[in-house]
Amino acid sequence: QVQLVESGGGMVQAGGSLRLSCAASRSIRSIDAMGWYRQAAGKQRELVARISSGSSTNYADSVKGRFTISRDNAKNTVYLLMNNLKPEDTAVYYCNAHFNVINLDFWGQGTQVTVSS
């Protein structure tokens, strides 16, 4: 398994930026895909961005052009750079690790992002 610890959340004004970090307890090269999900109050958890072990990425339409997911394999860390934040981005953001062979997902504890207007 893998333990995931998110950091970097906080409060920003609309138009600002944050970079979230997800530190993994094992080499992320051994993880098939890692991603960021978010859950706003009263809403379902949704995929924000995903990056595979082969570095292919995909994004939710709502964040394309604003958010960038990246990896630093040497640091076992996945990042989510969030630019031009909007109030509707307010949510708890969760790091996810997915293992294909065992079809398991592991989750971090979440980090709160609050964007004020």
Side-chain angles (χ1 to χ4, degrees), residues 62-101:
S62 60
V63 307
K64 285 181 179 177
R66 298 190 297 122
F67 291 10
T68 303
I69 188 169
S70 61
R71 305 186 310 197
D72 187 333
N73 290 336
K75 295 182 178 180
N76 293 331
T77 300
V78 174
Y79 302 98
L80 184 68
L81 176 62
M82 304 183 293
N83 292 323
N84 191 24
L85 283 161
K86 302 176 180 180
E88 51 263 43
D89 296 318
T90 295
V92 178
Y93 284 70
Y94 296 92
C95 184
N96 167 267
H98 180 75
F99 295 84
N100 289 338
V101 172

Side-chain angles (χ1 to χ4, degrees), residues 3 5 30 34 50 58 64 69 71 82-83 91 114:
Q3 293 175 306
V5 180
S30 67
M34 298 194 68
R50 180 190 292 123
N58 59 351
K64 285 181 179 177
I69 188 169
R71 305 186 310 197
M82 304 183 293
N83 292 323
T114 302

Side-chain angles (χ1 to χ4, degrees), residues 12-33:
V12 297
Q13 292 186 333
S17 297
L18 285 173
R19 189 179 73 163
L20 306 183
S21 298
C22 174
S25 63
R26 62 183 291 173
S27 174
I28 60 174
R29 292 183 293 268
S30 67
I31 302 173
D32 294 312

